[in-house]
Amino acid sequence: NVGGPCVISIPISPLKSEIIIDGKSIKKGTYAIFTKPGKNSWDVYLYTEYKGNGAPRKWDDSKVAAKVS
């Protein structure tokens, strides 16, 4: 996945209730966490698709539930 996020892929347990991340409501469900390092900080993505095989072959921005820099 050249140019797309993915240094670390961490499955998280299904969220049992809605949460708020950076002011955005995240529905209960199962997500993956991906990170992308930058020069001075990292971006952290909560991604709606998790298949347990690392980064998706094709990154889909519409599946980003939340992003924190």
Side-chain angles (χ1 to χ4, degrees), residues 19-30:
I19 63 171
I20 305 295
I21 296 179
D22 200 25
K24 185 174 181 180
S25 178
I26 306 301
K27 297 178 184 179
K28 64 181 180 178
T30 302

Side-chain angles (χ1 to χ4, degrees), residues 12-21 24-31 46-48 65-66:
I12 59 174
S13 297
L15 298 174
K16 295 182 180 182
S17 63
E18 196 169 290
I19 63 171
I20 305 295
I21 296 179
K24 185 174 181 180
S25 178
I26 306 301
K27 297 178 184 179
K28 64 181 180 178
T30 302
Y31 298 88
L46 192 63
Y47 201 71
T48 60

Side-chain angles (χ1 to χ4, degrees), residues 37-54:
K39 186 174 182 178
N40 297 312
S41 66
W42 286 44
D43 294 330
V44 179
Y45 299 84
L46 192 63
Y47 201 71
T48 60
E49 182 180 299
Y50 174 70
K51 293 186 180 179
N53 298 327

